[in-house]
Amino acid sequence: MKFISWNVNGLRAIVSKGFAEIFKGFDADFVCLQETKLQEGQIDLHFDGYEAYYNYAERKGYSGTAIFTRHRPLSVRRGIGVERHDHEGRVLVLEYVDFYLVNVYVPNSQSELARLDYRVDWEAEFLKFIQELDMTKPVIVCGDMNVAHKEIDLANPSSNHHNAGFTDEERACMTRFLDAGYVDTYRHFNPDKKAAYSWWSYRGGARARNVGWRIDYFIVSERIAGLLNDASIYPEVLGSDHCPVGVDIKL
């Protein structure tokens, strides 16, 4: 099965940038989107052979997640079941016989780290939620996780050490996540690959110069890591400040 994840930075905006053709080119079983910036009824988007599921933020034009799938799920969950964290449409879960697919848009700590404390609390509750799912069946977690885990995961680690997305606190959250029994699929196949990024600032021609960050992930339960065929980043796909990432799993 082929899985794609992409922060589209506004689904309505990217539809006007050739999204339909890009989507068809994926030829994926699952396409998970973040930062859809939608309210219910604001878009009429359908692809033959796919069902669509959304989780909308209460705030208009903000956050939000969506999954397009060729496979009807057993159940759908929106949020993590923690009231203070479930207003922004950040988590969408599809349940299948053999796994849970979790699409996530992790909160950004924002400028001057104004939201870092909230983010750390959110991360702890999210990991608890994932572990509860994992007790039943393996999980496949994907999305914009808003952190470059290691220095290899961004172009300029020294100058960004205390900036949102590369603070010690955020990196420690990712370490705790992986140490709890999960695998960063891209590093599973590419442990030492440099200059492999999924997000670039719109400033200073960063994308053309490949001055970027790898903050978009597929993470799976360790016990299904042996089913992984490949993990990919697609920097050639344009339309957002992020590019898609993907995995192929024998499921």
Side-chain angles (χ1 to χ4, degrees), residues 224-239:
I224 61 169
L227 301 179
L228 292 166
N229 289 325
D230 195 15
S232 304
I233 299 176
Y234 303 94
E236 72 281 2
V237 178
L238 305 178

Side-chain angles (χ1 to χ4, degrees), residues 20-216:
E21 288 304 311
I22 294 170
F23 185 97
K24 291 174 185 176
F26 289 147
D27 191 24
D29 293 277
F30 301 90
V31 177
C32 302
L33 307 178
Q34 304 89 43
E35 209 170 356
T36 52
K37 299 181 178 180
L38 286 175
Q39 302 301 120
E40 187 171 6
Q42 287 187 317
I43 198 168
D44 183 18
L45 184 62
H46 303 280
F47 296 101
D48 289 344
Y50 289 86
E51 295 183 353
Y53 299 90
Y54 293 87
N55 189 10
Y56 306 103
E58 293 179 6
R59 175 179 164 188
K60 293 182 178 179
Y62 179 73
S63 189
T65 47
I67 301 176
F68 292 82
T69 174
R70 286 173 168 161
H71 308 276
R72 179 167 293 178
L74 300 177
S75 69
V76 180
R77 302 190 193 188
R78 294 172 174 86
I80 60 175
V82 178
E83 197 277 336
R84 68 183 180 278
H85 294 317
D86 283 346
H87 298 278
E88 298 182 355
R90 293 186 177 275
V91 177
L92 179 59
V93 183
L94 303 188
E95 178 187 5
Y96 292 91
V97 172
D98 296 321
F99 64 95
Y100 287 102
L101 175 60
V102 181
N103 182 19
V104 60
Y105 178 35
V106 173
N108 189 300
S109 295
Q110 299 183 351
S111 61
E112 300 184 2
L113 305 180
R115 220 179 184 202
L116 179 59
D117 289 345
Y118 174 80
R119 154 85 177 251
V120 171
D121 178 51
W122 190 98
E123 292 257 19
E125 294 291 352
F126 180 67
L127 177 55
K128 186 186 303 183
F129 174 73
I130 294 300
Q131 289 177 301
E132 289 172 357
L133 294 180
D134 200 25
M135 291 175 65
T136 304
K137 60 188 78 175
V139 296
I140 300 166
V141 180
C142 69
D144 176 1
M145 303 192 78
N146 262 317
V147 62
H149 186 213
K150 302 287 188 180
E151 290 191 354
I152 195 175
D153 294 316
L154 73 167
N156 295 313
S158 59
S159 61
N160 282 293
H161 182 199
H162 298 294
N163 290 338
F166 198 61
T167 64
D168 293 339
E169 293 89 343
E170 291 163 315
R171 296 169 68 193
C173 287
M174 178 59 83
T175 297
R176 281 192 292 272
F177 193 149
L178 297 176
D179 287 351
Y182 303 94
V183 173
D184 175 348
T185 61
Y186 189 78
R187 287 296 172 217
H188 177 76
F189 289 103
N190 305 279
D192 303 312
K193 188 168 184 178
K194 298 179 180 179
Y197 308 129
S198 65
W199 176 82
W200 303 263
S201 171
Y202 281 130
R203 299 175 182 175
R207 188 162 189 166
R209 296 184 294 118
N210 198 29
V211 180
W213 301 48
R214 188 177 73 94
I215 61 175
D216 300 270

